[in-house]
Amino acid sequence: MTAAAPPCATPRHDWTRAEVEALFDLPLPELVFRAATVHRAVFDPTEIQLSQLLSVKTGGCAEDCGYCSQSAHFETGLKATRLLDAEAVIATAAEAKAGGAQRFCMGAAWRELKDRDVPKLAAMISGVKALGLETCATLGMLTAEQARALKAAGLDYYNHNLDTAPEDYARIVSTRTYQDRLDTLEHVREAGMAVCCGGIVGMGESRSHRAGLLQALANLPRHPESVPINALVPIAGTPLAGAAPVDALEFVRTIAVARLLCPQSVVRIAAGREGMSRETQALCFLAGANSIFVGGRLLTTPLPGEDADRALLDDLGLKPMTAREPAAAAAA
Ligand code: SF4
């Protein structure tokens, strides 16, 4: 598809950077209209998928992701904790379900999952799954064998973000490579799990880098079922603490291009939503976003809060997404 072609809901995996940049450069009303057209061709545009995220092991991470409060490389004042007990996690998941969450995501600040922790994670996952929730985890790099073990425990989704464009990656993280990320995504796919993979805007990247991130996501062998788009929440003590916030309309553009490039995927407004106006969020939903995190916190950053979220969705006439099987939601 060229920038001038009509929008298409059939997934493609051969996007060029020039094509993606041309979409970013469209007049905003035209871009949003195209994205909304694709959105309603695939999804009910009044439905929003609701996820809740719990940090099951906080801080002390060996990676040096320049945006993260949990890296041991930076002085952020965050207190590191041990891996939570499965019972505590399952109890929090039950509260999340009672609060309306459909998917429960468990995040651990690890460079990679250690085999010794797999049984405890498996107990958490199977316990959360037994509550009738979709399960998701983000635990760092996985081996193929670990991915299979998590899948066997009942894990539906694995989150592993690409963060930014391939050529911008070394500026953000030095302790792993883009290929490391792609390898874990491949293990997740081979194990039969759905993929949650997106990135972060507002890290001082260029529009071309934002286009490159979305191009990389769209040109994966199979599109991620969930595409979280985060707006950087600057953390004091991290290298990106002083990054200029991304313009709200540029964030909307990023959402719209993600919708056009990954038409069958759920596109999530992830971190940074608490800093957005209701109007910006509404524009994001019009541009094809159809998922948010709910609950009081993300891993270590705040969310707008349940009352604010409920009021926003009510005022916009939006409702929780009807359950979709991960496999049925899968993009080609
Ligand atoms: S983003 Fe994840 S991998 Fe990177 S430092 Fe933070 S916890 Fe570690």
Side-chain angles (χ1 to χ4, degrees), residues 170-328:
R171 182 178 67 88
I172 306 297
V173 188
S174 75
T175 49
R176 60 169 185 262
T177 65
Y178 221 67
Q179 189 58 48
D180 289 332
R181 301 305 264 183
L182 296 173
D183 290 348
T184 288
L185 291 173
E186 193 176 328
H187 296 152
V188 169
R189 279 297 186 209
E190 284 172 357
M193 285 185 280
V195 165
C196 173
C197 183
I200 307 172
V201 301
M203 299 194 294
E205 76 286 346
S206 65
R207 176 177 278 184
S208 180
H209 292 146
R210 290 190 278 280
L213 163 69
L214 298 182
Q215 179 194 12
L217 292 169
N219 289 348
L220 288 170
R222 190 169 156 185
H223 290 175
E225 283 76 4
S226 284
V227 177
I229 304 295
N230 299 275
L232 179 74
V233 179
I235 305 286
T238 63
L240 295 177
V246 73
D247 176 73
L249 294 182
E250 184 68 10
F251 189 84
V252 173
R253 284 183 185 275
T254 308
I255 291 281
V257 176
R259 166 54 60 217
L260 286 168
L261 264 57
C262 298
Q264 308 280 333
S265 307
V266 165
V267 175
R268 180 177 305 129
I269 315 171
R273 197 166 59 82
E274 78 288 349
M276 295 175 197
S277 70
R278 285 159 50 94
E279 292 79 7
T280 297
Q281 294 179 62
L283 204 43
C284 287
F285 295 136
L286 181 61
N290 58 350
S291 174
I292 57 173
F293 278 117
V294 293
R297 298 187 71 71
L298 274 181
L299 289 172
T300 62
T301 58
L303 286 167
E306 285 172 29
D307 290 347
D309 287 340
R310 196 166 295 126
L312 177 66
L313 296 185
D314 283 351
D315 289 349
L316 296 178
L318 301 177
K319 56 184 185 287
M321 186 178 283
T322 314
R324 288 160 62 93
E325 284 299 312

Side-chain angles (χ1 to χ4, degrees), residues 36 39-48 285-286 288-290 316-319:
H39 184 195
R40 63 190 51 226
V42 179
F43 294 94
D44 179 341
T46 67
E47 290 190 347
I48 302 291
F285 295 136
L286 181 61
N290 58 350
L316 296 178
L318 301 177
K319 56 184 185 287

Side-chain angles (χ1 to χ4, degrees), residues 61 63 65 67-68 70-71 109-110 176:
C61 182
E63 301 278 33
C65 309
Y67 49 82
C68 184
Q70 304 200 69
S71 170
W110 284 324
R176 60 169 185 262

